[in-house]
mmCIF file of all heavy atoms in Angstrom:
data_model
loop_
_atom_site.group_PDB
_atom_site.id
_atom_site.type_symbol
_atom_site.label_atom_id
_atom_site.label_comp_id
_atom_site.label_asym_id
_atom_site.label_seq_id
_atom_site.Cartn_x
_atom_site.Cartn_y
_atom_site.Cartn_z
ATOM 1 N N ILE B 412 -32.779 35.351 13.522
ATOM 2 C CA ILE B 412 -33.156 34.974 14.852
ATOM 3 C C ILE B 412 -34.312 35.911 15.459
ATOM 4 O O ILE B 412 -35.277 35.358 16.039
ATOM 5 C CB ILE B 412 -32.035 34.950 15.724
ATOM 6 C CG1 ILE B 412 -31.070 33.776 15.397
ATOM 7 C CG2 ILE B 412 -32.361 34.871 17.186
ATOM 8 C CD1 ILE B 412 -29.694 33.706 15.955
ATOM 9 N N VAL B 413 -34.242 37.205 15.054
ATOM 10 C CA VAL B 413 -35.298 37.997 15.569
ATOM 11 C C VAL B 413 -36.632 37.618 14.807
ATOM 12 O O VAL B 413 -37.625 37.542 15.477
ATOM 13 C CB VAL B 413 -34.938 39.501 15.217
ATOM 14 C CG1 VAL B 413 -36.123 40.404 15.284
ATOM 15 C CG2 VAL B 413 -33.815 39.965 16.154
ATOM 16 N N LEU B 414 -36.549 37.362 13.516
ATOM 17 C CA LEU B 414 -37.794 37.049 12.897
ATOM 18 C C LEU B 414 -38.366 35.721 13.376
ATOM 19 O O LEU B 414 -39.596 35.591 13.360
ATOM 20 C CB LEU B 414 -37.433 36.876 11.354
ATOM 21 C CG LEU B 414 -37.196 38.192 10.621
ATOM 22 C CD1 LEU B 414 -36.777 37.860 9.200
ATOM 23 C CD2 LEU B 414 -38.409 39.107 10.619
ATOM 24 N N VAL B 415 -37.505 34.793 13.854
ATOM 25 C CA VAL B 415 -38.069 33.636 14.404
ATOM 26 C C VAL B 415 -38.601 33.940 15.801
ATOM 27 O O VAL B 415 -39.657 33.396 16.271
ATOM 28 C CB VAL B 415 -37.004 32.476 14.419
ATOM 29 C CG1 VAL B 415 -37.509 31.279 15.192
ATOM 30 C CG2 VAL B 415 -36.730 32.144 13.030
ATOM 31 N N ALA B 416 -37.922 34.760 16.591
ATOM 32 C CA ALA B 416 -38.242 35.017 18.032
ATOM 33 C C ALA B 416 -39.452 35.786 18.124
ATOM 34 O O ALA B 416 -40.342 35.527 18.970
ATOM 35 C CB ALA B 416 -37.032 35.659 18.628
ATOM 36 N N VAL B 417 -39.723 36.721 17.234
ATOM 37 C CA VAL B 417 -40.878 37.566 17.367
ATOM 38 C C VAL B 417 -42.133 36.887 16.793
ATOM 39 O O VAL B 417 -42.078 36.367 15.688
ATOM 40 C CB VAL B 417 -40.694 38.979 16.593
ATOM 41 C CG1 VAL B 417 -41.937 39.847 16.696
ATOM 42 C CG2 VAL B 417 -39.454 39.667 17.242
ATOM 43 N N ARG B 418 -43.211 36.862 17.512
ATOM 44 C CA ARG B 418 -44.332 36.080 17.183
ATOM 45 C C ARG B 418 -45.033 36.532 15.877
ATOM 46 O O ARG B 418 -45.499 35.876 15.026
ATOM 47 C CB ARG B 418 -45.288 36.035 18.358
ATOM 48 C CG ARG B 418 -46.334 34.850 18.276
ATOM 49 C CD ARG B 418 -46.787 34.629 19.638
ATOM 50 N NE ARG B 418 -48.076 34.016 19.582
ATOM 51 C CZ ARG B 418 -49.021 34.214 20.620
ATOM 52 N NH1 ARG B 418 -48.769 34.978 21.577
ATOM 53 N NH2 ARG B 418 -50.202 33.715 20.366
ATOM 54 N N ARG B 419 -45.010 37.901 15.733
ATOM 55 C CA ARG B 419 -45.706 38.460 14.706
ATOM 56 C C ARG B 419 -45.068 38.135 13.339
ATOM 57 O O ARG B 419 -45.649 38.013 12.251
ATOM 58 C CB ARG B 419 -45.637 40.008 14.752
ATOM 59 C CG ARG B 419 -46.527 40.588 15.669
ATOM 60 C CD ARG B 419 -46.606 42.094 15.469
ATOM 61 N NE ARG B 419 -47.484 42.727 16.420
ATOM 62 C CZ ARG B 419 -47.795 43.939 16.211
ATOM 63 N NH1 ARG B 419 -47.374 44.669 15.063
ATOM 64 N NH2 ARG B 419 -48.639 44.525 17.115
ATOM 65 N N THR B 420 -43.779 37.956 13.414
ATOM 66 C CA THR B 420 -43.052 37.631 12.073
ATOM 67 C C THR B 420 -42.840 36.100 12.005
ATOM 68 O O THR B 420 -42.149 35.716 10.997
ATOM 69 C CB THR B 420 -41.660 38.342 12.045
ATOM 70 O OG1 THR B 420 -40.929 37.894 13.280
ATOM 71 C CG2 THR B 420 -41.841 39.779 11.985
ATOM 72 N N ARG B 421 -43.328 35.314 12.897
ATOM 73 C CA ARG B 421 -43.127 33.867 12.798
ATOM 74 C C ARG B 421 -44.160 33.322 11.811
ATOM 75 O O ARG B 421 -45.086 32.578 12.306
ATOM 76 C CB ARG B 421 -43.260 33.214 14.196
ATOM 77 C CG ARG B 421 -42.368 31.988 14.402
ATOM 78 C CD ARG B 421 -42.653 31.404 15.780
ATOM 79 N NE ARG B 421 -42.115 32.303 16.800
ATOM 80 C CZ ARG B 421 -42.742 32.353 17.992
ATOM 81 N NH1 ARG B 421 -43.847 31.681 18.151
ATOM 82 N NH2 ARG B 421 -42.280 33.128 18.917
ATOM 83 N N ASN B 422 -44.131 33.632 10.640
ATOM 84 C CA ASN B 422 -44.992 33.195 9.669
ATOM 85 C C ASN B 422 -44.265 32.809 8.335
ATOM 86 O O ASN B 422 -42.972 33.009 8.280
ATOM 87 C CB ASN B 422 -46.116 34.243 9.411
ATOM 88 C CG ASN B 422 -45.543 35.564 9.160
ATOM 89 O OD1 ASN B 422 -44.512 35.674 8.466
ATOM 90 N ND2 ASN B 422 -46.239 36.625 9.586
ATOM 91 N N VAL B 423 -45.049 32.502 7.299
ATOM 92 C CA VAL B 423 -44.401 32.075 6.099
ATOM 93 C C VAL B 423 -43.466 33.226 5.594
ATOM 94 O O VAL B 423 -42.294 32.976 5.212
ATOM 95 C CB VAL B 423 -45.479 31.679 5.116
ATOM 96 C CG1 VAL B 423 -44.849 31.382 3.696
ATOM 97 C CG2 VAL B 423 -46.308 30.519 5.504
ATOM 98 N N ALA B 424 -44.000 34.362 5.504
ATOM 99 C CA ALA B 424 -43.252 35.470 4.895
ATOM 100 C C ALA B 424 -41.960 35.799 5.716
ATOM 101 O O ALA B 424 -40.918 35.983 5.178
ATOM 102 C CB ALA B 424 -44.120 36.780 4.852
ATOM 103 N N GLY B 425 -42.115 35.839 7.162
ATOM 104 C CA GLY B 425 -41.064 36.072 7.924
ATOM 105 C C GLY B 425 -39.948 35.083 7.808
ATOM 106 O O GLY B 425 -38.783 35.380 7.641
ATOM 107 N N MET B 426 -40.362 33.796 7.716
ATOM 108 C CA MET B 426 -39.320 32.699 7.596
ATOM 109 C C MET B 426 -38.663 32.784 6.307
ATOM 110 O O MET B 426 -37.527 32.491 6.158
ATOM 111 C CB MET B 426 -40.006 31.411 7.793
ATOM 112 C CG MET B 426 -40.551 31.087 9.210
ATOM 113 S SD MET B 426 -39.326 31.372 10.454
ATOM 114 C CE MET B 426 -39.759 32.920 11.061
ATOM 115 N N THR B 427 -39.396 33.095 5.267
ATOM 116 C CA THR B 427 -38.776 33.196 4.047
ATOM 117 C C THR B 427 -37.737 34.373 3.891
ATOM 118 O O THR B 427 -36.684 34.151 3.418
ATOM 119 C CB THR B 427 -39.938 33.517 2.908
ATOM 120 O OG1 THR B 427 -40.869 32.504 3.039
ATOM 121 C CG2 THR B 427 -39.328 33.383 1.478
#
Side-chain angles (χ1 to χ4, degrees):
Chain B
I412 287 168
V413 165
L414 287 177
V415 173
V417 176
R418 200 158 150 209
R419 280 191 183 194
T420 56
R421 206 184 298 144
N422 52 32
V423 176
M426 294 305 102
T427 308

